[in-house]
Amino acid sequence: DGSQTAFLDGNQPDRLCKPMVDHITARGGQVLTGKPISSIEVNPDDNTVQCLKLADGSIVEADMYVSAMPVDIIKRLVPKSWSSIPYFRQLSELEGIPVINLQIWFDQKLTSADGLCFSRSPLLSVYADMSTCCEEYASETASMLELVFAPATEAVGADRNWIAASDDEIIDATMLELQRLFPTEIGPNAPNGGAQITKSSVVRVPRSVYATTPGRNKFRPSQESPISNFVMAGDFALQKYLGSMEGAVLSGKLAAEVICDKATGRSTDGVRDVHVTIGNGEEKAPVGVRGNFPIAFGGGQQGAGQNSSHP
């Protein structure tokens, strides 16, 4: 009773994103997709955002600008005149880690996982049986496990670079772990050989949530920034959760509060003090983001090497 987990009753694009898009467009707003950002242009007199320049050459002008990009992406787009400011320099202390998301469909219903489970496996950090937790995948006769395969590279504690491994290698390693976790339902020791895979998918995310190594929390920026018309959202920005969907939602709410307070003339909580170890630095031109695939902006890809695709 003390631990409850809520799941969307379907996929995120339909059940989370589409209602927000409908809400915005019904009120005269516009949502642009497939329009990657090329640069943040600033006003030379006061360093405020002048406009956003998109990869197709078009520009977007607004009263307020909110970044909800992953930390590794916003770091590549910080304008030169901002790069020496401690608020933005502290972002160099935050770095996304690689993870792999798996979906495995089985021909039988598993009974060992009835909610979100944090695993004792060295490869599988968390998993859930979506046939039990999510209406879209509900089934009384077959299971669909959704799993986070992490750590995924040697740099964060894995025994090899799993991001570069083939889908078959990743699924085979996962099944060995599941055999150990659920010996009565999966593997050769289970009755009739146990549950068998009917299909699977592997999505690699080379830069996911920021690494929660000791001491990182003090470098998380406040939603309010020293740039009067620029607000920082994203799960890495300061809020009570670590990098997660919950953290991203709360960070977005806090960013919206900053905008509302400024629009109505209310006082804000102000810009969080930057840790004393971060001072002013030299200006650096932004590296920019290369490519227009989701992976270039912190998303995931299916396949590896020349066989990669983008979900």
Side-chain angles (χ1 to χ4, degrees), residues 30-33 35-43 49-66 229:
Q30 189 177 11
V31 177
L32 302 178
T33 59
K35 295 278 189 178
I37 183 174
S38 175
S39 64
I40 302 171
E41 301 297 315
V42 302
N43 291 305
V49 181
Q50 183 182 74
C51 67
L52 302 179
K53 184 176 291 185
L54 306 184
D56 62 5
S58 61
I59 63 172
V60 175
E61 296 178 320
D63 296 322
M64 295 292 294
Y65 299 82
V66 181
N229 65 345

Side-chain angles (χ1 to χ4, degrees), residues 234-266:
D235 65 357
F236 65 92
L238 186 64
Q239 35 79 24
K240 64 182 179 180
Y241 300 122
L242 299 175
S244 60
M245 288 191 293
E246 295 81 4
V249 170
L250 179 54
S251 185
K253 180 177 182 293
L254 294 173
E257 289 179 357
V258 171
I259 295 171
C260 290
D261 287 342
K262 288 191 172 188
T264 56
R266 296 192 298 261

Side-chain angles (χ1 to χ4, degrees), residues 76-89:
R76 301 176 70 91
L77 292 167
V78 170
K80 182 178 180 179
S81 60
W82 295 1
S83 62
S84 62
I85 302 173
Y87 175 91
F88 295 100
R89 292 193 69 237

